[in-house]
Amino acid sequence: MVTYAQLWQCDPAAWRAAGAAWGGLAVAVGRRAEELGAVAGRVSDGWRGAAGSAAGGHVRRLREPLDAARLAFVETDQVLAGFAAALARARGMLAAAVAAAGPAHVEIDRAGRTAPDVTVTGIDRVAALHAADRVGAGISAALDAATHADRATAAHLDRLGAAAAAGWPISVPRSRPAVGTPPGAVRRWWAGLTDAERRWLVLFEPAYVGRLDGIPVGARDQANRSLLAAQRAALVRERALAVRTAMPRHGAVAASHRLVGLMSGIDAVTTRLSAETGERAYLLGLDTAGDGRVVIAVGDPDTADNVVTYVPGMTADLRAVRDDLGRIEALAARAATVDPSQRTSAVLWLDYDAPSFLDEAMFAEKARSAGPALHQFAEGLRATHEGPPAQQSVVGHSYGSLTVGMTARTTGLAADDLIFIGSPGLGTDHASALGLPPQHVWSSTATDDPITYLAPDWREPFNRARALLTDPLWPDPQPNEYLWFGRNPTDPDFGGRVFTGDAAGHSGYWHADNDALTDMARIALGPEHQSRVE
């Protein structure tokens, strides 16, 4: 049992750093494994015949234990990062209980036992007795949470140690579901596999494991991390080929620019994945086709109390991922500040072809085509979550709000709350069409966000601009009731709930000093905090 003193003295950051060290070791071992793979290829290519094949096969077999060890090191990183997060949550619970003691005239001794202040008498002492029981219950809950995390972590590390002692056994699974299988069925299939079968799949079919909704986040993260180096190397080769071939100069420059942007995006993702401080990141998908796609979580969605998925809008792609990573970081950090006793995971879902230019953003097709994948992903988060269901929210910004709105209306979304930020409309005229009670549909648009003046008639913005230029005394424009894709979700007749923020344009909702960021965090934290949304 974790004691009161131990919980106060523990250092979650030290456990997080220890996990990151294991993660760094996994990267180093992965490089060695790649080198062995390259050697095996050269042996097979340069040494023909049975002897050459045998030699190449021998080198490839040398790589297998390294690959297995690399996955185990990544898993150790995950386990220790999860332990650090659990300790931080327990510390938050303990701090909240202790903070409530003073105003309630409750004393706490060094063992965490509570009693009324000895100076309190009469009826005030009766109230202090009840308060002491409440504070004591809060302390006990914090210690229980820390103890549970400690035991679960120790058991998980014991299993990893046993697998290492056995030589990382692997076994080919007898069956596997097709991509697109409902996540609940995928989760049941995965639960029925042995550790050896799961290890085989992550080792030899990482692309399959990494993209399949319904497989737990930890396994998908291991699989997708193992693909990163090869994905970047393929881009390097493609760029070299584009430069060498007879492609017209303009085409070569454009191709090179796209590939360099994708490599930069992978580098940004890799940097965040290898961070030694803060919440650990989990890679749930990365695709370098086209402008690139990525799904990445800050904090483990499978163990979090709250999961908030952010869907960005126009111009979002792998090449520009830094800004969107910053937004989920800001949201997760604000939620932790508002309520340190809860664990909140923020997910960037950029698994669709977002519009690159206005001519694409004028049509709903890209939002509509994203619906099945977003629906499946949200269902997968529900299916793999451990323990009681998480409070699950989805945030759509700009064109991403249309993507979220159309998905909720057509295929449904596994969400407790929907949050629309800087929206051009949701493809519907009333919150009741989105599959949730209207009181769980939220929206906010800054007063200086130009999107709120985007009327269905394409001439409207130009008419407003001309009026302002010709008549400086023209009254301030008011937000349109109807926007490009339907009724303005901040309009009272839309039927949802509206919160306000600072005038910070179309992209300033995640600024640290913007009240809109705090309100998004409160919504993500659930009903207990939603009453404070303004």
Side-chain angles (χ1 to χ4, degrees), residues 345-367:
S345 172
V347 185
L348 166 61
W349 188 85
L350 181 48
D351 196 16
Y352 81 114
D353 184 19
S356 297
F357 302 101
L358 277 173
D359 62 335
E360 295 176 327
M362 293 170 64
F363 301 95
E365 181 53 37
K366 288 181 178 289

Side-chain angles (χ1 to χ4, degrees), residues 403-415:
T403 301
V404 174
M406 293 191 72
T407 304
R409 183 168 60 88
T410 56
T411 63
L413 266 176

